[in-house]
Amino acid sequence: MFWADKIAADAQENQVVNDSKTPSGRVHVGSLRGVVIHDVIYRALKHAGKPSKFLYGVDDYDALDTVPYYLDQEKFAPYLGFPLCNVPSPDNSASDYAKYFMGEFLGVFEYLGVKPEVYYLRDLYRSGRLNSYIDIFLKNAHLVREAYLEVSKARRPDNWYPFQITCENCGKIATTVVSDYNGSEVFYTCKPDATDWVQGCGHSGWVSPFDGNGKLPWKVEWVAKWDLLGITIEFAGKDHSQKGGSRDVANAVCRKVLRKQPPFHSPYEFILVNGTKMSSSKGVGSSAKEIAELLPPELLRFLMLRTQPKTVINFAPNYETTTRLFRDYDALIDKYQALSPDVQPESALPEDLMPLFYAQLDGVIKPYHPLDLSTLISLLQVPHLDIRQEIERRSTQPLSEYDWQIANQRISVAQKWLADYADEDEKLVLYLDRVPEKVKDLTHEQISYLRQLTHSLADVKLWEAEELQTTLFATAKELEMQQPVAFKSVYLSFLGKERGPKAGALLSYLERDFVVARLRDVVQVNTSQAALVAE
RNA sequence: GGGUCGCUAGCUCAGCGGUAGAGCAUUCGGCUUUUAACCGACUGGUCCCGGGUUCGAAUCCCGGGCGACCCA
């Protein structure tokens, strides 16, 4: 059974699925994995007929702990230690820092068809909805300390309380330490040496911890959220999930203080992005937004679904990985179309088609006539080629409107890929000015073929793709050569590679004189070299 | 130093107690012309290593190696 369906099958009704994110900067594509995993669990629950909710929390009361390299250091350094919702936005498009970066992330949600109920921690705190939990955890600070010690071996001082006040004097939340609680107010100090990355101002005093004046440490805050919102399923990245890690601590706090079972949990692996070479040099790479700009939403969902949560996904936007993603997706589309109509209702799909099903934004698989991305990448690089005309000409069946929609989408992907991600040696380069080095590898048989071509091509009546293609074949036949061997010699002469777009078409875009001259040059280079060797 | 996850065909992965699988790549064959959008076939694996449990282990347990990541 597909992994998400298995979870759904084992679950009771009325599940509340939750995920959350600290909006501290641009979001890496790896963060999308959690989003999609939770979305698919939610969809699987609905699919299994178990009504459920899907929540997404924005942890915007967390402190700004570093200024990302792409922001103005001088402008933001003074806000280090501030709650993210109190840091100004990098530009006018948002009210504050947290909303700015979350906005970018939510844009990707929408793109992926992920529709959770989004809530902001600032609202939970300021509205007082977390007040009772704050009181409970402050009163039971000793139990929280115990949990920290037992689970993560982290010893807290006896007067340590699980709470941080936003300093009334300097506005920082990361630097304050609470050391007493009288039931309505806490005593806190904004310590200069509380962290090694920002200094507190030294202010101290009694103040109410309620209604947004401060926050719980996030492991404890996590527990408060679980209980307040009735969360029953929440996975976490492997980083938080290990023994003694934050999830483990939160679970212990939940059991010890609230005496309740924590939500169902399982760790998920990361997405590794190789190919850092191209991303760093060209300034494009691996933010969620950038990957979303390259891959259509279904493909991006598919990327994260076809691999089980506990297996690492290795995605690099290089030729091999990118074209394979599309090919694999199309293979499932074909498989779906091959099903007999009576299994079409999605409930009865074979397991290997489930990733395709859950990759759809609206839960409906719409088949189309696949066009291989690698082919489009090739065609786009042939000079003077009208790609849509070419697609039409090559299709065995007339393309529907939806087929064209997909085709156009894929053309954009191919263009984007060529512009932003392709390495030089992955691009098709026509050697217009010089003979490619590689022609030295040509065999005698291939040389004779090319020599023969200088004559047969010179005689071609109509310099046009079909006729040229025919001539290439006919000449190979004349010399009783294997077709692939013959074609390779042509590609090597013009592209320096063994493969290329349909050779007749390729030549038709070039001038006849140039083609014949080039072939003569190639023959020349090789015969003079042969002469040298002979001496 | 401790921990988590992974290690199966060249590559990406499935299988998770009962005769080792898929796709892609490779190779070969066909192709009076889909040669970077054809068709067909064949290859290809001490399932990381070593022990143990079992009638039987890729699958469970222990130890080790390597990799990714986390904590200290």
Side-chain angles (χ1 to χ4, degrees), chain A residues 444-469:
Chain A
H444 288 299
E445 187 186 33
Q446 287 174 313
I447 295 297
S448 346
Y449 175 68
L450 295 177
R451 186 181 290 121
Q452 190 66 28
L453 276 185
T454 59
H455 303 304
S456 46
L457 287 178
D459 295 340
V460 164
K461 291 192 187 71
L462 205 58
W463 193 256
E464 169 272 336
E466 277 305 303
E467 177 122 13
L468 289 169
Q469 185 80 355

Side-chain angles (χ1 to χ4, degrees), chain A residues 130-145 160-163 181 216-217 219-225 227 250 253-254 256-258:
Chain A
L130 287 170
N131 285 354
S132 60
Y133 293 96
I134 292 170
D135 182 58
I136 290 170
F137 288 119
L138 283 172
K139 280 183 178 152
N140 293 284
H142 60 290
L143 292 180
V144 178
R145 288 195 292 265
W160 178 88
Y161 284 81
F163 202 78
Y181 178 52
L216 296 160
K219 294 172 201 172
V220 179
E221 181 180 274
W222 210 351
V223 179
K225 280 194 288 186
D227 198 57
V253 169
C254 187
K256 244 180 208 302
V257 182
L258 301 185

Side-chain angles (χ1 to χ4, degrees), chain A residues 190-257:
Chain A
C190 184
K191 291 196 166 177
D193 59 349
T195 72
D196 54 9
W197 43 273
V198 65
Q199 286 199 344
C201 68
H203 180 83
S204 67
W206 285 92
V207 68
S208 161
F210 304 119
D211 302 324
N213 287 345
K215 80 185 289 288
L216 296 160
W218 77 273
K219 294 172 201 172
V220 179
E221 181 180 274
W222 210 351
V223 179
K225 280 194 288 186
W226 289 343
D227 198 57
L228 175 70
L229 303 171
I231 292 157
T232 57
I233 298 180
E234 178 164 356
F235 284 21
K238 184 174 70 166
D239 48 344
H240 298 307
S241 304
Q242 71 256 350
K243 201 171 176 183
S246 45
R247 175 65 195 232
D248 221 12
V249 172
N251 285 353
V253 169
C254 187
R255 293 198 180 96
K256 244 180 208 302
V257 182

Side-chain angles (χ1 to χ4, degrees), chain A residues 130-357:
Chain A
L130 287 170
N131 285 354
S132 60
Y133 293 96
I134 292 170
D135 182 58
I136 290 170
F137 288 119
L138 283 172
K139 280 183 178 152
N140 293 284
H142 60 290
L143 292 180
V144 178
R145 288 195 292 265
E146 251 177 56
Y148 273 71
L149 182 62
E150 284 169 14
V151 178
S152 68
K153 310 263 186 297
R155 184 176 290 283
R156 306 280 165 172
D158 289 345
N159 63 347
W160 178 88
Y161 284 81
F163 202 78
Q164 289 187 294
I165 289 290
T166 306
C167 180
E168 300 156 282
N169 181 51
C170 71
K172 296 188 195 73
I173 197 167
T175 50
T176 61
V177 175
V178 168
S179 54
D180 203 357
Y181 178 52
N182 65 15
S184 59
E185 290 188 321
V186 292
F187 184 80
Y188 77 99
T189 309
C190 184
K191 291 196 166 177
D193 59 349
T195 72
D196 54 9
W197 43 273
V198 65
Q199 286 199 344
C201 68
H203 180 83
S204 67
W206 285 92
V207 68
S208 161
F210 304 119
D211 302 324
N213 287 345
K215 80 185 289 288
L216 296 160
W218 77 273
K219 294 172 201 172
V220 179
E221 181 180 274
W222 210 351
V223 179
K225 280 194 288 186
W226 289 343
D227 198 57
L228 175 70
L229 303 171
I231 292 157
T232 57
I233 298 180
E234 178 164 356
F235 284 21
K238 184 174 70 166
D239 48 344
H240 298 307
S241 304
Q242 71 256 350
K243 201 171 176 183
S246 45
R247 175 65 195 232
D248 221 12
V249 172
N251 285 353
V253 169
C254 187
R255 293 198 180 96
K256 244 180 208 302
V257 182
L258 301 185
R259 298 181 183 284
K260 289 181 179 170
Q261 278 301 312
F264 175 64
H265 165 250
S266 175
Y268 55 85
E269 261 287 357
F270 292 95
I271 300 181
L272 301 181
V273 178
N274 287 339
T276 48
K277 191 185 70 191
M278 55 184 127
S279 51
S280 57
S281 65
K282 292 179 186 169
V284 287
S286 54
S287 83
K289 199 175 151 197
E290 283 162 341
I291 296 293
E293 278 166 4
L294 177 69
L295 299 178
E298 294 83 4
L299 272 293
L300 187 45
R301 288 180 65 95
F302 179 65
L303 168 67
M304 288 181 273
L305 286 178
R306 62 168 171 175
T307 307
Q308 309 181 63
K310 283 183 188 171
T311 302
V312 185
I313 296 176
N314 225 318
F315 181 78
N318 57 26
Y319 181 84
E320 183 65 23
T321 313
T322 309
T323 56
R324 176 158 51 211
L325 180 68
F326 282 81
R327 199 167 50 222
D328 289 350
Y329 187 87
D330 287 347
L332 291 187
I333 287 283
D334 280 341
K335 191 159 184 179
Y336 177 76
Q337 291 193 87
L339 288 179
S340 60
D342 52 309
V343 274
Q344 296 269 355
E346 273 74 4
S347 51
L349 285 179
E351 183 183 342
D352 58 346
L353 286 179
M354 292 315 288
L356 178 66
F357 172 65

Side-chain angles (χ1 to χ4, degrees), chain A residues 409-476:
Chain A
Q409 185 186 54
R410 297 244 168 139
I411 291 168
S412 316
V413 172
Q415 282 167 334
K416 177 91 183 156
W417 185 82
L418 278 167
D420 293 349
Y421 297 95
D423 272 350
E424 282 316 306
D425 61 344
E426 289 173 324
K427 289 185 187 173
L428 178 77
V429 179
L430 267 169
Y431 283 70
L432 294 174
D433 306 331
R434 62 202 165 86
V435 178
E437 288 284 308
K438 286 260 175 99
V439 299
K440 287 177 182 149
D441 300 339
L442 290 168
T443 63
H444 288 299
E445 187 186 33
Q446 287 174 313
I447 295 297
S448 346
Y449 175 68
L450 295 177
R451 186 181 290 121
Q452 190 66 28
L453 276 185
T454 59
H455 303 304
S456 46
L457 287 178
D459 295 340
V460 164
K461 291 192 187 71
L462 205 58
W463 193 256
E464 169 272 336
E466 277 305 303
E467 177 122 13
L468 289 169
Q469 185 80 355
T470 308
T471 307
L472 292 173
F473 274 109
T475 309

